[in-house]
Amino acid sequence: MQSWPDITLPTVPGAGPPLRLYDTADRRVRPVSAGASATMYVCGITPYDATHLGHAATYLTFDLINRIWRDNDHAVHYVQNVTDVDDPLFERAARDGVDWRALGAAEIDLFRRDMTALRVVPPRDYVGAIETVDEVVEFVGKLLVSGAAYSVEDADFPDVYFRTDATEQFGYESGYDRTTMMRLFAERGGDPDRSGKRDRLDPLLWRAARPGEPSWPAPFGAGRPGWHIECSAIALNRLGPEFDIQGGGSDLIYPHHEYSAAHAESLVAGRRFARHYVHTGMIGLDGEKMSKSRGNLVLVSALLSDGVDPAAIRLGLLAGHYRQDRMWTAGLLDHAQRRLQMWRDATGAVAGPAAADTIARVRHHVADDLDTPRALDAVDNWARQTLDYGGKDTDATGMIATAVDALLGIQL
Ligand code: 5CA
Ligand code: ZN
């Protein structure tokens, strides 16, 4: 489907160190081993409600990776999905008396507008589940042939499931024990009590058609895709096995990313689905995780229509470290707005101290597992010095503005 408009990133003189990131599977920070073409898959929205600051924080994190890669001269192949056929869409559409496809299309449009305002570099492939059902059908067919999948014995609804024991390395991505998996599986869309499964943790690959639900034909019975196979198929078919980064919020570590990996790895044995699994912390409000079900959302679109500068939203979210669960507060936005003003005042000044050292610091901190709090401090220091500066005219102010735009996505 259509992505949002591309952004031309200005070139910043010099180069930064190679990117190092925390890998959830290895539980440590290590270099990202991207080649000339760097590849990334990030789990996209389920479009039944508007983009909130939690989503924004997650996509801004992967946008930084994209920007650092480009600054280091990698060609980036970035893929993002849209879960445009799933239960939450049907439930919300029924509640509001609208068509679920129209609801999805409207929310995807709003998401594109929010991402454009936040200056997020768009994915090269922005892919909906609906437009890739044939890829899922082919994938599930292969898993059935290999024995990694089975249909439950149910004449009415022969749903297809994946065998959790299909790969030897299952569980390496989250590292969770079975008790934790059981709890999270039930909490995050799994169906441990479905009769006919071999293992309570086996995840759904293909949901046989139910009355009133959309369905597509398949050799193993009409139905619709399960959730994890959607991302597995979209990523594998566009990036191949062992792409560089699989990303999303920490709520996707298990079951979603564990099974997306296992589905693909059962087809291409001996190769990891992704080289790095990168997860962002959860953004909350008033002490609670921000989520649609809790109803404590701060919407990007609402802030924008209140006249909040999108660059301030970006600065507010980047002020914390991406792996940290953190709260959005009025104070955080206020601080970001003051910081933005200080940066604008400084780059608007006629002269400032040389920029190269500050740019090197920003590059160094961002490449170090996206240490944005330190990167923003480095710009603060430069801005304070500039505002007190009595030296001769330099081109520093323009260079800082360019670097802050290219590397951090902040337009001054
Ligand atoms: N469509 C699936 C992924 S395939 C999905 O999780 N959709 S979502 O709309 O619920 O979330 C979209 C992205 O935002 C996911 O990467 C999710 O991990 C992330 N996310 C959701 N809530 C938060 C939050 N409160 N803080 C940070 N990231 C969040
Ligand atoms: Zn996903």
Side-chain angles (χ1 to χ4, degrees), residues 43-46 52 54-55 58-59 81 83 227 231 248-249 251-252 256 281-283 290 292:
C43 282
I45 55 162
T46 304
H52 61 63
H55 302 132
T58 290
Y59 298 116
N81 73 307
T83 308
W227 177 27
C231 286
D251 57 335
L252 301 184
H256 187 51
M282 291 291 112
I283 301 294
M290 203 176 278
K292 292 162 192 166

Side-chain angles (χ1 to χ4, degrees), residues 171-193:
Y172 78 90
E173 184 264 344
S174 66
Y176 295 158
D177 60 22
R178 193 172 163 92
T179 312
T180 307
M181 286 186 181
M182 268 302 189
R183 178 172 58 78
L184 293 176
F185 188 77
E187 277 174 28
R188 296 175 178 170
D191 53 356
D193 300 326

Side-chain angles (χ1 to χ4, degrees), residues 154-170:
D154 179 331
D156 294 327
F157 307 121
D159 302 326
V160 183
Y161 283 86
F162 179 77
R163 289 182 67 128
T164 293
D165 64 1
T167 62
E168 264 178 35
Q169 70 276 25
F170 175 78

Side-chain angles (χ1 to χ4, degrees), residues 1-5 82 108-109 112 122-128 131:
M1 63 173 60
Q2 179 149 11
S3 197
W4 52 95
V82 184
I108 295 165
D109 252 353
R112 289 190 189 100
R124 189 203 294 181
D125 299 316
Y126 192 47
V127 190
E131 60 192 0

Side-chain angles (χ1 to χ4, degrees), residues 267-346:
L267 281 190
V268 284
R271 304 186 72 182
R272 243 168 90 151
F273 182 51
R275 293 196 184 97
H276 251 86
Y277 296 89
V278 177
H279 294 104
T280 56
M282 291 291 112
I283 301 294
L285 184 72
D286 304 330
E288 295 239 49
K289 179 188 148 179
M290 203 176 278
S291 70
K292 292 162 192 166
S293 47
R294 284 195 178 89
N296 61 344
L297 307 182
V298 179
L299 303 182
V300 174
S301 45
L303 289 177
L304 295 176
S305 60
D306 283 352
V308 174
D309 190 318
I313 301 176
R314 214 183 231 269
L315 278 180
L317 291 170
L318 298 184
H321 190 259
Y322 80 97
R323 282 199 278 130
Q324 202 76 48
D325 290 341
R326 54 205 197 278
M327 292 295 144
W328 178 261
T329 62
L332 188 70
L333 178 59
D334 190 49
H335 183 259
Q337 282 168 324
R338 278 185 281 119
R339 177 176 245 162
L340 182 62
Q341 193 54 53
M342 177 171 76
W343 291 14
R344 285 194 173 138
D345 290 345

